Amino acid sequence: MADTAADAVRRIGIKLAALAQDGLTFAAGDYDLDRYRQVSQLAAELLGTISGRPAAELSIELGRDSGYATPKVDVRGAVFDERERVLLMREKTDGRWSLPGGWADPGDAPSVAVTREVLEETGYHSSVVKLIACWDRDRQGNLPPLPVHVYKLFFLCRRDGPVQPPAELETLEIGWFGLDELPPLSLGRVNHRQLERALAHHRDPSLPTELD
């Protein structure tokens, strides 16, 4: 996808925020700590200017992380049935549909993280068949842009075990959809191209894992 000036500025803001976080983790003197706090605030102001969000809100969001700054990891599980319909869940946050998934939790292996998300959000037990892709969220065009850098891990999964009601905390409803009859997608989580690639791997699991 072609970069815009706003894309470039947002990347600079993300890198500044990461630099500030690293500095606040490793700096020893009060002078350096104060300077890194100022850099963090400037990063929030920069990201707020291009996103329209309040800098104070972004400061809180950026301040939730600590230690050496690394990309966040989002896991998504693609389950297909015998008619090549994909299992989707409707998000409470925006009322749109997505592959089940979310942020990986520390301490979980990737396969554990994604099968837990599938179970919680759809009620389906599953097992991982393969890693479809490790994608950079920005390069994939998932919208809206975020103030953090994200890697998206997409897994091909198969149904495995009994079905139970999904957790009510995040899921409005679930459904099986052909790719030619998709409901409105939660594009920050999954887009049509990503579902097409998941179907391609369902049809031919020997395809190599996709990168970037």
Side-chain angles (χ1 to χ4, degrees):
M1 296 183 63
D3 276 354
T4 66
D7 292 330
V9 171
R10 187 174 63 86
R11 281 199 301 274
I12 293 169
I14 290 171
K15 289 181 179 181
L16 279 174
L19 178 65
Q21 181 177 318
D22 292 345
L24 290 169
T25 299
F26 297 110
D30 291 340
Y31 179 88
D32 287 337
L33 288 171
D34 181 65
R35 288 293 181 265
Y36 282 119
R37 290 189 191 101
Q38 292 184 48
V39 172
S40 180
Q41 180 60 33
L42 289 171
E45 292 176 8
L46 186 63
L47 291 168
T49 298
I50 62 172
S51 68
R53 295 175 60 187
E57 177 183 299
L58 287 165
S59 290
I60 293 172
E61 187 170 336
L62 293 171
R64 291 192 182 110
D65 201 5
S66 62
Y68 187 80
T70 63
K72 294 182 71 65
V73 178
D74 175 47
V75 296
R76 297 287 154 182
V79 182
F80 291 89
D81 67 8
E82 64 281 353
R83 294 165 53 189
E84 296 189 338
R85 298 181 303 173
V86 66
L87 177 62
L88 300 179
M89 50 82 65
R90 190 155 74 92
E91 299 274 354
K92 277 193 173 182
T93 54
D94 62 8
R96 293 174 175 266
W97 295 78
S98 173
L99 288 177
W103 300 124
D105 289 338
D108 278 351
S111 60
V112 173
V114 73
T115 53
R116 184 192 65 248
E117 291 286 343
V118 172
L119 177 61
E120 290 178 354
E121 296 186 347
T122 70
Y124 280 85
H125 287 81
S126 65
S127 57
V128 168
V129 177
K130 64 173 295 189
L131 177 64
I132 294 170
C134 177
W135 281 320
D136 183 303
R137 186 183 187 274
D138 285 346
R139 293 190 179 190
Q140 288 292 306
N142 293 99
L143 299 173
L146 297 177
V148 292
H149 195 188
V150 178
Y151 291 164
K152 296 178 72 67
L153 304 184
F154 277 66
F155 293 88
L156 181 64
C157 301
R158 67 164 62 94
R159 288 179 288 180
D160 181 15
V163 182
Q164 63 190 51
E168 297 181 357
L169 183 62
E170 299 179 59
T171 304
L172 290 173
E173 58 182 310
I174 63 170
W176 294 88
F177 300 91
L179 265 60
D180 59 349
E181 55 179 8
L182 290 173
L185 296 177
S186 183
L187 295 175
R189 297 172 173 86
V190 65
N191 59 37
H192 195 279
R193 178 188 174 277
Q194 290 162 341
L195 291 176
E196 288 178 338
R197 296 310 306 151
L199 178 58
H201 283 260
H202 168 71
R203 290 172 172 171
D204 183 4
S206 69
L207 289 174
T209 296
E210 302 181 20
L211 305 173
D212 296 342

